[in-house]
Amino acid sequence: MSSISTAQGEFLAHFTTHGLARLQFPGAQPAPPVGAKPPGKPWLHQTRAAINSILTGETPTKLPPLDLSVGTRFQRQLWRAMLRIPIGGTRTYGELARVLRRPKAARAIGQACSANPIPLIVPCHRVIANGSELGGFSAGLNWKRKLLKAEGHSF
């Protein structure tokens, strides 16, 4: 586990041999380690740069390798779809369900968002409910508002 200092607080990053496997927001209870690999300097630098870019509403120039192996097939499909939501963009749970060709899976989309182990970089904060309602966020609605505001939204 590595601590990454930002202007918004200390993020905790967990790495495996395959890449970044978990990212915890400042103030979160430290979770049990998911991997025993200390990150190499390039991965840690890429993670720090990506976090700082996202916190200021900018697109990261490069993401660290992501290890999303903890998820089910459906969750991994959703998380990859969320990576395609650009900074400043949002998608509803229903829109993502249609993208995944599971139009009745909006509730499952919400559950998969809450299981996202890397919620800042795999941007579940950009997933909203119908009618421009915020919906939920694993790091709390204050973080979701803050991140969306940095990206140009006013909720």
Side-chain angles (χ1 to χ4, degrees):
M1 178 169 50
S2 298
S3 179
I4 298 176
S5 294
T6 73
Q8 304 290 331
E10 299 278 325
F11 285 79
L12 297 177
H14 303 251
F15 294 87
T16 66
T17 56
H18 301 289
L20 179 63
R22 181 182 296 144
L23 185 65
Q24 294 181 264
F25 278 77
Q29 285 293 104
V34 292
K37 179 177 179 14
K41 284 186 181 182
W43 287 6
L44 195 54
H45 175 73
Q46 290 166 353
T47 303
R48 180 179 291 110
I51 290 169
N52 284 315
S53 292
I54 293 166
L55 290 175
T56 58
E58 299 174 11
T59 302
T61 55
K62 183 170 177 129
L63 295 178
L66 303 177
D67 180 355
L68 298 171
S69 62
V70 297
T72 65
R73 183 173 174 261
F74 174 76
Q75 289 171 332
R76 290 190 311 269
Q77 287 175 331
L78 171 65
W79 298 338
R80 283 191 296 274
M82 288 190 303
L83 283 166
R84 293 189 293 272
I85 303 171
I87 286 210
T90 59
R91 300 293 182 272
T92 66
Y93 298 105
E95 287 171 330
L96 286 170
R98 287 188 293 279
V99 164
L100 297 179
R101 297 186 176 152
R102 305 230 356 228
K104 297 182 182 197
R107 185 169 300 211
I109 296 290
Q111 292 169 339
C113 283
S114 69
N116 176 1
I118 311 172
L120 180 68
I121 293 175
V122 178
C124 54
H125 64 277
R126 297 183 193 139
V127 181
I128 60 173
N130 284 332
S132 296
E133 296 292 322
L134 283 180
F137 187 54
S138 61
L141 289 180
N142 287 337
W143 269 107
K144 188 167 189 166
R145 282 186 196 94
K146 186 183 300 190
L147 294 169
L148 290 171
K149 183 177 179 183
E151 295 181 8
H153 295 279
S154 58
F155 284 89

